[in-house]
Amino acid sequence: MSENKNNGGMSRRDILKGLATVPAVGGLFYGAYVSGKKYDATREARQSILKEFNIDAGVSTPRMTYTPGAKSTGQKIRLGVIGFGIRGPQLVQASGFATRRWLENMEKMGPDNDRLKAFYEQEDLNIEYTAVCDIFTVKAEEAKDTVDNGSAHGKKGNAKVYKNWEDLVNAPDVDAVIIATPDHWHAPMSIVAAKAGKHVFVEKPMTHKIQETHELFRVIQETGVVFQVGHQHRQTDSYFKAKEIIDKGVLGPISMVLTHTNRNSPNGAWVYPIHEQASPETIDWDMFLGNAPKVPFNKDHFFRWRKYWAYGTGLNGDLMTHEFDAFNQILGMGIPKSAVCSGGVYFFKDGREVPDVMNVALEYPDKNYTFIYSATQANEYSRTNLILGHDASMEITRELIVKPDRRSTRFAEKFEKGIIKPDEPLFSYVPGSTNLDAVTTATERYFAAKGLLYTYRDGVRVDSGHLHIKEWLEAIRGNGKTSCDIVAGYEEAIAAHMATVAHKMGIKAFWNDETKEIHDQNGNVIHEIPTDSPADVGVIA
Amino acid sequence: MQSLKNVNYTNGQLSMLVMLRVLIGWHFLFEGLTKVSKSGWTSAGYLLDSKGWFSGIFIWMAESPGILKFIDFMNVWGLFFIGLALMIGLFSRLAAIGGMALLAMYYLSHPPLAGLEYGAPGEGTYLLVNKNLIELFALAVLFVFPTSQIIGVDRFLYISKYKRNPDPQLA
């Protein structure tokens, strides 16, 4: 027991014992300081690369801004929607009107449902649906009910139901139309609408045939209506960053672009459910057929039209276009010089004409790269889209990762000095994060790739389809331009049609940019995609 | 701290208990420190990855911006101060309870149940018992075998409290 009690009852021994473990805290902070410095050094080295390439470390400026609960100002736009099958309701919902079915399903999932909340918080785009059209009466009624009663902002409507799309397009109380029909109707409707002075939002691909691609291009140019192809990827924030990085030359010379589709379900292979009320009485079959060969009423053709060349465009027009447009916006690829394509019906042998496995190579000799598209509808293995450059590769999913190439000449010195490592990302960009930074943690990346983090605007999760429609509406009001305009739509449609020509004819298809014609290797002009569609077409190519 | 009057450790027992307290403190403090220094850190991803019995609650927390902000704040500074308190031996029993509460949250949000797989890769294989649970019970041990009144800043508080009635264990 201590004798020394004059210090408030504390001896030196008390003080020593009381503070015995404090040095450990010092040790920890010192350790943290040292490891922090190491971390900073790595970070600085990477920041210096950003600086070297003059890349803004912040989030790229998105094309369309988003403010939850806001309302678009200016002229109220009166819309008509044609086609209310699968994509139609999605587009109408992205514009602020949900089907009764969807609302009921969401409400069943509980009041705190995220998607429902996001829907109600959507910006009010200041629109009114005055007209709806679907040739299946059930869907026409659902469309009317949706736009009349499904408003996220509590508005009531009274849309007119049209049996004939041409009447809708020519209606004086329709300023603009959303076209979400089978592919073979996209161009005919867009052309008539544009000629009637109506602005057009049309699903991809914008055309089904070669000649109507040229015609639609001409009509949109002549009429000057605001035109948007429905690629909502145009609003995905990581693509803006990707473009910025590539424009600064970080990847070095690019030699290949690799894109994919992997699906593995009947739904993903376009085997959609057949409605029990479908009959020749409820469906205007002749109108469905349009310019397609006259065949008797067929429910499979009607609901699963994507399986048949007469109405759909196969993997090339339906799904390659997604990837093509995404990379066209990043790289400015344009129309390829040539296309080869092969594939076949290998899994879904259900009488379909369009292949469920498809491989496309588009050549860009002027740009020194090949665009590859490879798809299967019978396997869901996740293949990352890649842009391969001599100095670095870019992986593009929801997130963005740039990895330096081991044999890069540009980075050779930095590898040697240990400033960057060949196996580690140069930097990565996670949507929603506030920073473009190499040091995003592995777990953050994991969560982003899993889709647990979403596409963002200023930290707010948002449906890119909503932004895409908003961009179109704003352009109609005179604010800005559409991002997936007629030029982008033309390039994509021609690229898809070239691939399909190559596949169906078993040739390499070439593009003559001066005459704007597709031809074979002997210079024979191919005016149109062959209409014959042998079931074993995959064997030919 | 009246109940501590009867605590009487051998030197070996005391050393090991203090060691355990400092190690757990170090773990907490460093976890807190890295999160404090990394601006913009959020538990959102971790919470969204929650599975098992209470995942609904944890996912709900992550999806409500206000609550998430609160959780992030409490977690970061909780780790920091609990770690510091355990290391220097100040209010160590309170810190032990706080630490147990945090660990209980980690455990309940990511329970190691058969068949559950988590996003963040774990460094071992567990069934019901994982390192969070063990650390939680280690803190429980420290709670019932306190040491900070002997080795730690709590000693000063303890002395001033009992200076009129000296305690034999302060020897």
Side-chain angles (χ1 to χ4, degrees), chain A residues 265-305:
Chain A
S265 70
N267 202 58
W270 310 320
V271 185
Y272 300 130
I274 287 172
H275 201 284
E276 71 266 10
Q277 281 169 267
S279 74
E281 285 70 48
T282 53
I283 290 171
D284 184 347
W285 180 248
D286 285 337
M287 185 63 89
F288 168 78
L289 289 176
N291 56 27
K294 304 289 171 231
V295 295
F297 180 76
N298 184 323
K299 291 180 192 178
D300 194 64
H301 279 222
F302 184 74
F303 289 101
R304 300 163 180 172
W305 54 265

Side-chain angles (χ1 to χ4, degrees), chain A residues 139-153:
Chain A
K139 291 292 167 184
E141 280 158 28
E142 190 180 28
K144 176 172 167 57
D145 182 43
T146 302
V147 299
D148 284 356
N149 305 309
S151 165
H153 311 287

Side-chain angles (χ1 to χ4, degrees), chain B residues 78-142:
Chain B
L79 285 168
F80 186 91
F81 284 113
I82 289 165
L84 190 65
L86 288 171
M87 283 192 84
I88 67 172
L90 176 66
F91 307 129
S92 288
R93 296 188 89 194
L94 190 66
I97 292 177
M100 285 162 74
L102 281 183
L103 288 163
M105 300 278 269
Y106 306 150
Y107 180 79
L108 294 176
S109 69
H110 288 61
L113 303 179
L116 292 191
E117 275 182 42
Y118 293 103
E123 80 280 41
T125 40
Y126 309 105
L127 180 67
L128 287 174
V129 178
N130 64 9
K131 290 179 188 173
N132 282 334
L133 192 67
I134 294 168
E135 195 168 18
L136 192 158
F137 276 88
L139 282 177
V141 168
L142 291 178

Side-chain angles (χ1 to χ4, degrees), chain A residues 188-374:
Chain A
M189 288 176 179
S190 298
I191 288 166
V192 173
K195 282 183 176 167
K198 308 299 163 81
H199 307 289
V200 175
F201 184 107
V202 65
E203 264 309 309
K204 49 80 208 171
M206 67 174 205
T207 62
H208 181 253
K209 301 174 180 65
I210 297 170
Q211 292 313 315
E212 64 186 22
T213 310
H214 300 308
E215 194 189 345
L216 179 58
F217 183 82
R218 192 176 48 76
V219 169
I220 297 296
Q221 298 280 31
E222 281 171 10
T223 56
V225 299
V226 177
F227 182 82
Q228 177 93 300
V229 182
H231 280 298
Q232 68 271 28
H233 271 327
R234 287 269 168 179
Q235 311 298 336
T236 303
D237 58 353
S238 48
Y239 291 154
F240 302 126
K241 204 76 215 174
K243 179 168 170 48
E244 188 191 340
I245 290 167
I246 285 168
D247 286 349
K248 299 283 165 60
V250 178
L251 305 192
I254 293 163
S255 57
M256 187 176 275
V257 180
L258 276 171
T259 68
H260 315 97
T261 297
N262 275 59
R263 293 178 166 188
N264 197 9
S265 70
N267 202 58
W270 310 320
V271 185
Y272 300 130
I274 287 172
H275 201 284
E276 71 266 10
Q277 281 169 267
S279 74
E281 285 70 48
T282 53
I283 290 171
D284 184 347
W285 180 248
D286 285 337
M287 185 63 89
F288 168 78
L289 289 176
N291 56 27
K294 304 289 171 231
V295 295
F297 180 76
N298 184 323
K299 291 180 192 178
D300 194 64
H301 279 222
F302 184 74
F303 289 101
R304 300 163 180 172
W305 54 265
R306 285 181 158 92
K307 299 196 302 180
Y308 303 97
W309 289 119
Y311 328 110
T313 44
L315 278 163
N316 294 339
D318 213 294
L319 296 174
M320 180 179 79
T321 47
H322 275 301
E323 312 306 327
F324 182 91
D325 185 67
F327 286 85
N328 198 17
Q329 82 166 304
I330 294 171
L331 295 168
M333 301 187 303
I335 297 170
K337 183 71 195 158
S338 70
V340 291
C341 172
S342 77
V345 182
Y346 295 140
F347 187 83
F348 286 94
K349 294 182 184 290
D350 54 4
R352 69 179 57 207
E353 297 166 349
V354 304
D356 53 15
V357 173
M358 201 76 147
N359 293 285
V360 177
L362 307 177
E363 297 300 335
Y364 291 88
D366 302 342
K367 298 187 163 77
N368 296 304
Y369 56 69
T370 301
F371 174 97
I372 297 280
Y373 173 72
S374 162

